[in-house]
Amino acid sequence: MSTDNLRRGSLEIIDSKKIISRGSLYVAQARLTAMFKWIWMILAIAVANPVLYLLSIGVGVGAFIDKNAGPAGIDGVKYLTFLAPALLATSAIQGAIDESAFPTLEGFNWWKNFFGMNATPISGNQIATGVFLASFVRVVGTVVIYWFVMLAFGALESSKAWLAIPTAVMAGVAFGSITQAIAAQIKDDNIFFVIFNRFIVMPLFLFSGTFYPLSSMPVYLHWIGWISPLWHATELGRYLTYGHAMTRDMAIMHFAILLSLLVVGVTLSRRLFTKRLAK
Amino acid sequence: MSTSLVTARGLTKKFGDFVAVDAIDFDVAKGESFGLLGPNGAGKSTTMRIVGATSQRTSGDLTILGMDPEKFGPQIRAHLGVVPQQDNLDMNLSVSENLYIYGRYFGLSRKYLKTKIEELLEFAQLEEKRDAKVESLSGGMKRRLTIARGLVSEPEILMLDEPTTGLDPQARHILWDRLFRLKEQGVTLIITTHFMDEAEQLCDRLIVMDKGKIMAEGSPALLIKEYSTKEVLEIRFGSERNSSMANQLREMCERIEELPDRILLYHEDGEVLLEQIYSAGLHPKTSLVRRSSLEDVFLRLTGRTLVD
């Protein structure tokens, strides 16, 4: 081969300082390249999901509820307006789970491509961060689309409504980062999914004040809301989109809880990725 | 500093109480093709992961390209090409995307990678598969792609862990040919294998490992000369009679090994030995004279065969 003579060698062509500073971006690039193979599917889900939910439950069930609730409405607004912020945060969380759990299980268990990445200068920390960043991009896209659909449905009543976007993104990536840390520990993924979806994600979706205020549930079930990132994001979302009553301290607390979950999730997944790769 | 790219002294790796690599010493010189030969579980892959700067040693000294992998993992890995035992390609991506993305992990530019990928596709004979999903490739193709991927950064050292395990004979020969070319270009190769023919074909020098220890070290020819005779006579009397016949044959050769299905007789001239056996009135069911191989060296050193 004529090209054989052109070999210069890695000592000449590689700049390890550059990799050490940008490694996570390269990993995110790999994840986004993979994600773009499904871009139409991802976009279809991102649009169909809010349209179908807001139509069927927001408008459909909403008509029935609004008639019975009288002029006071639910929390002072139409049921659609009440429900929409919860669904916004739910879609963020769902997207984040997809982009955290699957790549992590693939990388460690199914295809083991994380071990391939780690044989290059890329570190475990960078792989964890890269997966997180790609998931972040998907969540932002999903939330922005959802928000515009909400706008089209007339579910945004406050001038602060745009702030519901970063709040929902934060809930999504916080949940995603925790999922990523858990998935990094998983050896038997079939059981993981059954447990995770049926016993964690589903109950959180149903009991986080999504369809009715947490306060209308029996007191002994309120703890589910408190441990659920979805409830904290929903409360903030309701405050921001239509002015749901909330003290400043409560708003700060909701925000602080989401932020701490995010910090814990990212720190833990970086640590667990590194640990598992070094074995 | 000498031209030694890898220097290991008392290199040890423990998993709990289990000692996977037991205080081994070795050096790999620049441009050399260095082999680790041994059965499954000998500690070869563990040694490879430590030299690959992904797994940390428990004790001992190790220098790779003049650096300690405990402190400079990424800096060392920047100059290694690693071909793991199990292909770990990114199944989400096509053949050429796998090469591109892997190149990005080394911080290589789009411009450099564009030409490099063409060269590697040709090297791996995968030009027609450039846009194919990795899942659709045969085992041999995946293996060649994994090797091509390991070369994207023009590594100083290419490390191959059991490169041809699971491949059919034709695919193996194609691969060996590719590895020969790299050797000719002066790429330093570190290869583990449990195939003695592979070690003989590819390695300038090798260490024979068993149970985490080095049993012997040298070039394939030297090891055979030191630990075996020039020729081996393999004979079969049928599994019932093999062991009773072995006692009668013991006097006639330098060394004898009884395997479940056959007897190996070590002698400088196999044909002469076979004549003697017939003259003594013994009539084996089958007989075969061959040259000694690393398999015989391993048998001599450990009392076991490489592939059980």
Side-chain angles (χ1 to χ4, degrees):
Chain A
M1 280 184 295
S2 57
T3 43
D4 287 358
N5 306 327
L6 296 176
R7 185 186 147 80
R8 286 185 295 154
S10 59
L11 291 172
E12 196 178 317
I13 64 174
I14 291 173
D15 174 4
S16 13
K17 279 199 202 95
K18 185 173 147 194
I19 308 161
I20 290 164
S21 63
R22 297 189 201 163
S24 4
L25 296 178
Y26 301 145
V27 177
Q29 185 188 10
R31 286 295 317 136
L32 291 169
T33 307
M35 226 185 273
F36 262 78
K37 311 235 150 179
W38 302 96
I39 189 67
W40 293 112
M41 181 76 93
I42 290 172
L43 287 177
I45 292 171
V47 175
N49 192 22
V51 170
L52 294 176
Y53 265 102
L54 290 177
L55 260 183
S56 65
I57 304 179
V59 178
V61 179
F64 175 73
I65 292 173
D66 291 337
K67 201 170 75 186
N68 288 293
I74 307 290
D75 202 18
V77 289
K78 286 183 298 180
Y79 185 65
L80 173 75
T81 310
F82 170 81
L83 178 69
L87 295 183
L88 176 72
T90 304
S91 75
I93 288 172
Q94 201 58 59
I97 290 174
D98 280 358
E99 296 307 336
S100 308
F102 287 109
T104 304
L105 293 172
E106 273 167 18
F108 282 122
N109 297 336
W110 301 340
W111 306 335
K112 302 189 185 297
N113 46 311
F114 284 171
F115 295 92
M117 291 182 190
N118 191 224
T120 74
I122 302 289
S123 68
N125 274 346
Q126 290 173 328
I127 298 173
T129 310
V131 169
F132 174 82
L133 289 176
S135 159
F136 181 85
V137 171
R138 157 111 186 243
V139 171
V140 169
T142 302
V143 168
V144 167
I145 289 172
Y146 212 116
W147 190 88
F148 277 103
V149 176
M150 282 165 69
L151 186 69
F153 271 81
L156 303 172
E157 297 189 356
S158 159
S159 58
K160 279 184 275 187
W162 67 273
L163 282 170
I165 293 175
T167 313
V169 168
M170 178 117 129
V173 294
F175 205 104
S177 67
I178 300 279
T179 310
Q180 196 183 325
I182 296 170
Q185 297 279 73
I186 299 301
K187 305 262 156 69
D188 185 347
D189 31 80
N190 294 324
I191 290 180
F192 167 68
F193 267 118
V194 171
I195 293 176
F196 196 72
N197 277 324
R198 304 253 197 322
F199 296 103
I200 297 178
V201 178
M202 200 62 186
L204 287 187
F205 176 53
L206 294 173
F207 298 108
S208 293
T210 317
F211 298 102
Y212 38 82
L214 194 66
S215 56
S216 60
M217 281 204 308
V219 177
Y220 60 84
L221 284 179
H222 283 192
W223 63 271
I224 301 182
W226 282 92
I227 62 158
S228 164
L230 177 56
W231 181 65
H232 297 289
T234 299
E235 286 291 291
L236 283 173
R238 284 178 179 149
Y239 166 67
L240 294 164
T241 57
Y242 65 82
H244 163 67
M246 183 182 295
T247 63
R248 214 181 120 215
D249 288 354
M250 276 301 269
I252 291 171
M253 192 209 56
H254 287 309
F255 187 80
I257 286 178
L258 291 178
L259 187 66
S260 358
L261 276 175
L262 179 63
V263 171
V264 169
V266 172
T267 313
L268 211 58
S269 50
R270 280 164 64 99
R271 214 168 276 174
L272 293 172
F273 269 49
T274 304
K275 199 176 144 203
R276 184 148 177 199
L277 287 165
K279 268 181 192 165
Chain B
M1 231 196 84
S2 68
T3 53
S4 179
L5 295 187
V6 181
T7 310
R9 293 290 174 270
L11 186 68
T12 302
K13 177 76 179 186
K14 293 181 187 165
F15 296 104
D17 289 339
F18 175 69
V19 185
V21 178
D22 195 356
I24 62 173
D25 297 347
F26 63 90
D27 292 87
V28 181
K30 190 170 168 56
E32 176 176 44
S33 174
F34 180 78
L36 289 83
L37 178 74
N40 292 328
K44 306 182 305 270
S45 294
T46 308
T47 306
M48 285 294 257
R49 280 201 302 277
I50 298 170
V51 177
T54 48
S55 176
Q56 298 299 345
R57 62 190 186 271
T58 310
S59 61
D61 291 320
L62 179 64
T63 314
I64 304 160
L65 300 160
M67 293 176 274
D68 180 341
E70 208 169 299
K71 297 188 191 99
F72 299 100
Q75 288 87 340
I76 290 169
R77 295 200 299 271
H79 305 294
L80 304 180
V82 176
V83 179
Q85 192 168 348
Q86 207 183 354
D87 293 322
N88 51 25
L89 297 158
D90 193 328
M91 307 292 255
N92 287 307
L93 307 176
S94 71
V95 169
S96 58
E97 283 170 339
N98 258 284
L99 296 172
Y100 178 74
I101 290 292
Y102 210 74
R104 294 296 289 157
Y105 296 151
F106 288 91
L108 296 165
S109 71
R110 182 181 291 266
K111 189 170 154 249
Y112 165 87
L113 287 168
K114 210 174 164 226
T115 38
K116 192 70 189 176
I117 287 169
E118 292 311 310
E119 184 192 317
L120 290 173
L121 287 172
E122 188 197 328
F123 172 82
Q125 296 175 308
L126 289 169
E127 290 116 313
E128 282 159 27
K129 294 281 179 184
R130 67 175 68 230
D131 297 319
K133 279 202 100 176
V134 170
E135 264 177 321
S136 68
L137 302 184
S138 71
M141 290 174 177
K142 278 186 193 150
R143 209 73 194 122
R144 295 207 297 275
L145 178 58
T146 307
I147 292 175
R149 188 184 72 168
L151 290 168
V152 74
S153 54
E154 303 193 349
E156 292 302 305
I157 307 175
L158 182 66
M159 305 181 56
L160 304 116
D161 196 355
E162 301 280 353
T164 65
T165 296
L167 297 187
D168 61 51
Q170 198 198 351
R172 286 183 87 194
H173 282 282
I174 294 176
L175 244 175
W176 284 353
D177 168 65
R178 302 288 126 166
L179 295 177
F180 264 124
R181 291 188 195 196
L182 293 173
K183 206 157 117 51
E184 282 168 6
Q185 291 172 43
V187 178
T188 306
L189 301 176
I190 303 180
I191 302 167
T192 78
T193 182
H194 66 271
F195 297 119
M196 40 146 192
D197 54 344
E198 187 158 281
E200 283 175 17
Q201 288 266 348
L202 296 175
C203 303
D204 300 326
R205 199 164 59 84
L206 50 91
I207 52 178
V208 181
M209 284 186 80
D210 190 39
K211 294 174 183 160
K213 288 198 167 75
I214 294 177
M215 310 297 290
E217 182 184 343
S219 70
L222 194 84
L223 285 170
I224 291 166
K225 200 172 162 196
E226 198 172 331
Y227 293 98
S228 192
T229 52
K230 197 171 154 204
E231 291 189 335
V232 189
L233 172 63
E234 295 195 1
I235 53 177
R236 287 184 163 87
F237 288 97
S239 48
E240 302 275 298
R241 292 176 61 217
N242 276 347
S243 84
S244 61
M245 298 311 285
N247 291 328
Q248 296 186 44
L249 297 165
R250 208 169 294 274
E251 302 293 302
M252 301 168 83
C253 55
E254 277 189 36
R255 195 164 66 85
I256 186 164
E257 290 285 353
E258 263 183 76
L259 300 179
D261 61 330
R262 62 194 193 279
I263 304 170
L264 307 182
L265 301 164
Y266 291 89
H267 197 275
E268 283 308 301
D269 190 329
E271 292 295 346
V272 169
L273 177 61
L274 188 59
E275 283 300 315
Q276 288 173 11
I277 290 172
Y278 280 121
S279 313
L282 302 174
H283 296 281
K285 282 183 178 168
T286 64
S287 62
L288 167 77
V289 175
R290 60 168 175 84
R291 294 175 66 89
S292 270
S293 72
L294 288 171
E295 179 87 44
D296 301 298
V297 173
F298 189 76
L299 194 61
R300 166 79 187 276
L301 290 169
T302 68
R304 289 181 294 119
T305 52
L306 275 167
V307 188
D308 292 320

